Amino acid sequence: MKRILLLFLLPCSLFAQGSLSGRVQEENSGQPLTGAYVSLKGTTFVSISNEEGLFQFSTLPAGSYTVEVSFIGYTPQTRSAEVRDREKTELTISLAIGAIELADVVITANPELAINVLAPVDMQLRPTVTSQDILRMVPGLFIAQHAGGGKAEQIFLRGFDIDHGTDINLEVDGLPVNMVSHAHGQGYSDLHFLIPEIVSLVDFDKGPYYADKGDFTTAGYVNFKTKNHLEKNFAKLEGGQFGTLRTVAGVNLGEKAYLATEYFLTDGYFESPQNFNRFNLTGKYASSISANTQVSIGASFFTSNWDASGQIPDRAVEAGTITRFGAIDDTEGGETSRAQLFAKFNHRLSDRSTLEQQAYAIRYDFNLYSNFTFFLNDPINGDQIQQQESRMIYGYKAKYSTTGKLWGKSLTTEAGAGIRYDDVRDIFLANTVRRVFRSDIKRGDVREANLNAFVNETLTINDCWSVNGGLRLDHFAFAYNDALLNSSSSTTATIVSPKLTVNYQANDKLLFYLRNGFGFHSNDARVAVAQNGREILPRAFGNDLGVQAKIVNKLLLNVALWRLDLDQEFVYVGDAGIVEPSGQSLREGIDVSLRYQINSWLFADADVNLTKPRATEEPKGEDYIPLAPTFTSIGGISFKMQNGINGSLRYRYLSDRAANEDKSTVAEGYLLSDLLINYTKKRYEVGLSVENIFDVAWKEAQFDTESRLFNETDPVSEIHFTPGIPFFAKLRFTLFF
């Protein structure tokens, strides 16, 4: 009856309208809840809380409403609200932590729900102990470490060997992780500065479909968001095999700030100790400086150093020269550090409009010693190389959002602009012997600027249909000063990336979507100036046809058929200091993700990803893309019992894949199982984690490399690998106070 009455009132809404807005937060900490579903009972009005927990209904007929709020892992709440003509009604809704119910997950085409529907589910269900664990939450994403634990991980996703970040956009609190024109590789992304205990949300999605995401967004993006406030103060101590020790602590400094720190060390499972250690310190302040303005300021410092055994050839292990945990050159390793500062302002300009602004500065240093080919090029001294750089990054970005009407339909507009400037000093590649400098291969300075702007329009046609169109403009300026040749060169390049998404919501349990869009990843500045602007911003074009469904209240399903074309490019090979062409490629596949609540405390999940990656300019049979994954699956069971026992038993499967262009060499796949179990009470938590519980002998990173050992006369091309971790157990104790 109330809905019928509202329909009669709509023609008069110009004369009797008000607004309803508010904030959704956690009851104990006051932490904003991003992605909470807010609806008005008996109507079709729906809103989604944003990053600050804010929601709004800008034009409502005057009257009485029942506000319903739900968010996974929290007890739903209902509130009454009175909306008066030409007046603003504001609510603060606090949700108490409750049982995890997949029935609370909402399937909606609402444009405000920018967060992948699986992200908050997985954050609630999957215990995490490292930043790599959080990265693995992206369905189909695999990582591999191959340089002593301190080097950025190699990433695999959607048929890409992404190397260390070339085709995935990574951010933490809006700050870039990808390093352009890096000493080791384009897009190099080291996430070890992120303390997993302070992560509140992982926003991720796949494909080049998002106008506010720029460089490196081809296979997808991941944006980590840290907490504004800690639920509790805590101190954690972890210890395990191989001389492993980790301490973590977080303390609130009043109600508006906190400080967190981490120290980690391990000898590793190799015969030559890794001597790895890492230190992190992070602080954050978040507050409202006025009724309509929130500010957050963050600062962090990270440093680590390590030794590494590097990749070893199959033939040395098979001959018994070394064991699979041995080394040919055990003087590899390095050190790196990162310090950063940012300030972010969120302004509520009106009931319909907001403005976000962020400025940041990052100091980054990197030094790495590697030896991939042993004595191939220099049979006397060996082929060890050093890659080093020191850089400053400065950036600013702003985004304006507003809601309005177009032809009587709801229209959401986002417009933004930004700049990033990288000043890289003394970036070089050199020959070394046991970390002693011998000669330069490349040395110089890089200056690189990226100016960008975007506009995003989302038209909600009715309860079923919505259309999103976006356009992004990126302009790059590259400059390189070659210190060895005493020469300088520069160039510029511009790229425009249109996007289009159509959503059809059949009902509250079924959503279909079609996404199309252009994206790109930039190339190294040393490639840019050598190519003088040609083929240095390789374009990607993607399509996704997918469905999100609640088969029943406790079963979530996401299926996507996709295709991604990538243009020809020229790549700077940081390990050799040369430029190589990389032809056009095509990747197509299917992604399937399943989340199921078996009962009140037991949950199951599985991700299955099938991909066919091919080089389109090569003859059939010679068109394989080395190391590109073709079949991956991640899944397991998680449990959260009322008596405090919680944890998960998980598996990771990566199939065999081509290691070279004709698949005459194969990179071996693996199936691993991991266990994590905790006993959590109000004041403390004890836990045990076990990686590779069946002690599988597996190869984590693999490359088809030509090398020569000291006693060999001829080079050999074969698989070189880093062994994966054996059975590894850790105990931990956490005190809450």
Side-chain angles (χ1 to χ4, degrees):
M1 187 68 185
K2 185 175 181 180
R3 180 176 293 185
I4 296 174
L5 180 61
L6 283 173
L7 290 174
F8 279 103
L9 287 173
L10 284 177
C12 304
S13 60
L14 289 175
F15 305 99
Q17 282 188 343
S19 66
L20 174 62
S21 61
R23 186 175 190 266
V24 183
Q25 63 185 26
E26 188 177 273
E27 185 176 78
N28 293 331
S29 67
Q31 180 87 5
L33 294 178
T34 304
Y37 185 77
V38 186
S39 62
L40 304 183
K41 187 176 180 180
T43 77
T44 59
F45 294 112
V46 171
S47 183
I48 308 295
S49 62
N50 67 10
E51 184 179 341
E52 300 298 323
L54 302 177
F55 68 90
Q56 63 177 4
F57 301 94
S58 55
T59 54
L60 286 177
S64 299
Y65 292 90
T66 300
V67 183
E68 297 180 325
V69 183
S70 64
F71 190 72
I72 185 170
Y74 293 82
T75 303
Q77 190 175 127
T78 299
R79 293 277 297 273
S80 297
E82 190 73 24
V83 175
R84 295 182 175 85
D85 183 23
R86 298 183 181 87
E87 292 186 10
K88 301 177 182 179
T89 301
E90 296 187 351
L91 299 174
T92 298
I93 301 175
S94 300
L95 300 184
I97 296 175
I100 297 175
E101 297 288 344
L102 294 193
D104 292 335
V105 178
V106 176
I107 302 295
T108 177
N110 190 297
E112 297 173 34
L113 191 59
I115 300 165
N116 187 297
V117 69
L118 298 180
V121 176
D122 292 341
M123 280 294 292
Q124 290 281 348
L125 292 180
R126 298 188 190 178
T128 57
V129 293
T130 68
S131 57
Q132 293 91 325
D133 289 333
I134 302 175
L135 193 58
R136 287 193 186 110
M137 285 189 179
V138 179
L141 188 149
F142 274 66
I143 60 175
Q145 174 58 249
H146 59 259
K151 188 178 177 181
E153 280 74 18
Q154 186 180 7
I155 302 173
F156 304 92
L157 180 67
R158 278 204 161 179
F160 280 91
D161 169 10
I162 296 177
D163 194 27
H164 300 285
T166 311
D167 286 285
I168 187 169
N169 184 329
L170 300 178
E171 294 182 338
V172 174
D173 286 331
L175 275 66
V177 179
N178 303 76
M179 295 292 169
V180 297
S181 303
H182 188 269
H184 181 69
Q186 178 68 342
Y188 185 91
S189 300
D190 185 352
L191 267 172
H192 296 127
F193 69 91
L194 178 62
I195 302 174
E197 284 82 358
I198 65 172
V199 174
S200 64
L201 182 67
V202 184
D203 176 18
F204 66 83
D205 223 320
K206 302 178 188 178
Y209 310 122
Y210 316 98
D212 62 334
K213 308 296 181 187
D215 201 0
F216 306 110
T217 313
T218 52
Y221 76 89
V222 187
N223 184 13
F224 299 90
K225 298 181 181 179
T226 61
K227 298 175 181 179
N228 286 338
H229 185 82
L230 302 177
E231 294 86 349
K232 299 177 181 178
N233 298 330
F234 69 91
K236 178 185 290 187
L237 177 65
E238 296 181 348
Q241 295 171 268
F242 316 123
T244 301
L245 177 70
R246 180 175 181 257
T247 62
V248 193
V251 179
N252 285 312
L253 307 176
E255 298 181 354
K256 299 178 180 180
Y258 69 85
L259 193 67
T261 184
E262 174 196 44
Y263 181 68
F264 175 74
L265 61 86
T266 184
D267 289 331
Y269 50 89
F270 298 88
E271 292 176 5
S272 298
Q274 288 179 275
N275 301 312
F276 176 80
N277 67 82
R278 178 176 71 229
F279 174 73
N280 274 315
L281 180 65
T282 298
K284 193 172 184 181
Y285 170 86
S287 179
S288 297
I289 58 177
S290 70
N292 294 314
T293 302
Q294 290 81 40
V295 61
S296 59
I297 300 172
S300 66
F301 173 75
F302 149 78
T303 182
S304 73
N305 58 76
W306 67 97
D307 297 325
S309 296
Q311 298 142 34
I312 56 176
D314 274 343
R315 63 187 184 279
V317 178
E318 292 168 359
T321 307
I322 59 172
T323 72
R324 63 189 307 269
F325 297 113
I328 303 297
D329 182 351
D330 64 357
T331 63
E332 296 188 33
E335 57 267 346
T336 186
S337 65
R338 175 175 173 135
Q340 59 189 30
L341 174 68
F342 76 87
K344 184 174 184 179
F345 295 86
N346 287 345
H347 312 272
R348 189 177 178 184
L349 304 178
S350 69
D351 289 342
R352 301 184 182 185
S353 304
T354 60
L355 175 64
E356 298 178 11
Q357 299 183 83
Q358 184 176 27
Y360 59 85
I362 302 169
R363 170 62 188 262
Y364 173 82
D365 292 283
F366 174 85
N367 185 26
L368 180 69
Y369 297 91
S370 308
N371 191 346
F372 305 111
T373 54
F374 313 127
F375 295 91
L376 176 67
N377 302 312
D378 188 333
I380 304 300
N381 298 300
D383 300 345
Q384 189 180 88
I385 58 173
Q386 179 186 11
Q387 295 163 316
Q388 183 173 299
E389 68 164 67
S390 179
R391 78 170 64 203
M392 288 296 302
I393 308 173
Y394 306 96
Y396 170 81
K397 55 186 176 181
K399 182 175 73 173
Y400 172 76
S401 305
T402 187
T403 58
K405 296 288 185 179
L406 179 65
W407 305 314
K409 308 298 181 182
S410 176
L411 180 69
T412 301
T413 300
E414 290 183 344
I419 182 172
R420 169 180 171 172
Y421 177 69
D422 286 66
D423 183 1
V424 191
R425 300 282 181 171
D426 199 24
I427 179 171
F428 70 81
L429 171 67
N431 292 310
T432 55
V433 178
R434 301 187 68 82
R435 300 197 183 187
V436 176
F437 176 84
R438 288 183 57 237
S439 61
D440 278 318
I441 302 173
K442 292 282 185 179
R443 186 181 291 266
D445 300 315
V446 169
R447 309 286 187 275
E448 182 171 335
N450 172 212
L451 289 83
N452 56 77
F454 73 90
V455 62
N456 217 12
E457 300 279 6
T458 303
L459 182 66
T460 303
I461 300 171
N462 53 36
D463 294 344
C464 297
W465 291 94
S466 68
V467 179
N468 170 265
L471 191 66
R472 183 180 180 89
L473 172 69
D474 284 270
H475 176 76
F476 286 83
F478 304 92
Y480 178 59
N481 175 47
D482 192 320
L484 302 183
L485 298 178
N486 194 26
S487 64
S488 298
S489 49
S490 62
T491 190
T492 61
T494 303
I495 190 169
V496 177
S497 307
K499 330 275 186 177
L500 178 65
T501 294
V502 178
N503 295 312
Y504 172 69
Q505 187 168 354
N507 51 52
D508 61 355
K509 299 182 184 300
L510 189 61
L511 169 69
F512 297 93
Y513 59 85
L514 175 64
R515 299 171 180 169
N516 302 273
F518 288 91
F520 72 99
H521 73 244
S522 65
N523 239 317
D524 192 287
R526 289 159 288 190
V527 171
V529 297
Q531 295 298 116
N532 195 24
R534 293 178 291 110
E535 298 176 306
I536 60 172
L537 298 177
R539 185 185 295 276
F541 177 64
N543 312 90
D544 266 57
L545 176 62
V547 58
Q548 292 180 0
K550 257 186 175 180
I551 307 301
V552 293
N553 264 346
K554 298 185 177 183
L555 177 61
L556 301 178
L557 177 68
N558 189 89
V559 180
L561 295 170
W562 61 271
R563 173 185 172 123
L564 188 66
D565 294 83
L566 190 63
D567 279 352
Q568 156 80 13
E569 61 177 314
F570 286 83
V571 178
Y572 179 78
V573 183
D575 297 333
I578 59 175
V579 176
E580 291 183 347
S582 176
Q584 295 180 1
S585 62
L586 166 65
R587 293 163 176 84
E588 50 192 359
I590 180 171
D591 294 343
V592 180
S593 294
L594 186 72
R595 306 290 182 268
Y596 179 55
Q597 183 170 358
I598 300 171
N599 55 35
S600 61
W601 57 271
L602 187 61
F603 305 82
D605 66 271
D607 300 318
V608 178
N609 309 94
L610 293 169
T611 307
K612 182 181 179 181
R614 289 292 184 268
T616 57
E617 297 177 317
E618 303 298 329
K620 189 172 182 180
E622 299 177 11
D623 57 348
Y624 292 93
I625 299 176
L627 303 180
T630 56
F631 178 36
T632 64
S633 183
I634 301 174
I637 57 172
S638 303
F639 47 92
K640 285 202 171 185
M641 307 173 75
Q642 291 186 351
N643 61 6
I645 296 175
N646 60 89
S648 65
L649 176 64
R650 307 198 57 75
Y651 74 87
R652 288 175 277 153
Y653 174 71
L654 175 65
S655 69
D656 292 350
R657 60 203 192 277
N660 58 2
E661 289 77 2
D662 62 4
K663 206 179 179 182
S664 58
T665 305
V666 174
E668 297 175 6
Y670 55 81
L671 174 62
L672 303 175
S673 301
D674 304 317
L675 171 68
L676 188 147
I677 186 167
N678 298 315
Y679 180 62
T680 307
K681 303 303 286 185
K682 184 177 181 180
R683 297 297 302 275
Y684 67 91
E685 179 181 82
V686 292
L688 168 69
S689 61
V690 182
E691 295 183 57
N692 193 3
I693 58 179
F694 298 113
D695 200 20
V696 175
W698 62 294
K699 298 176 179 179
E700 184 165 12
Q702 301 174 69
F703 302 90
D704 182 13
T705 304
E706 184 180 51
S707 68
R708 180 166 52 195
L709 303 179
F710 183 73
N711 59 349
E712 292 179 331
T713 56
D714 298 315
V716 177
S717 181
E718 65 173 356
I719 288 292
H720 292 56
F721 70 95
T722 301
I725 193 168
F727 179 95
F728 175 46
K730 285 191 302 184
L731 288 171
R732 65 186 161 276
F733 176 78
T734 307
L735 178 66
F736 303 109
F737 57 96

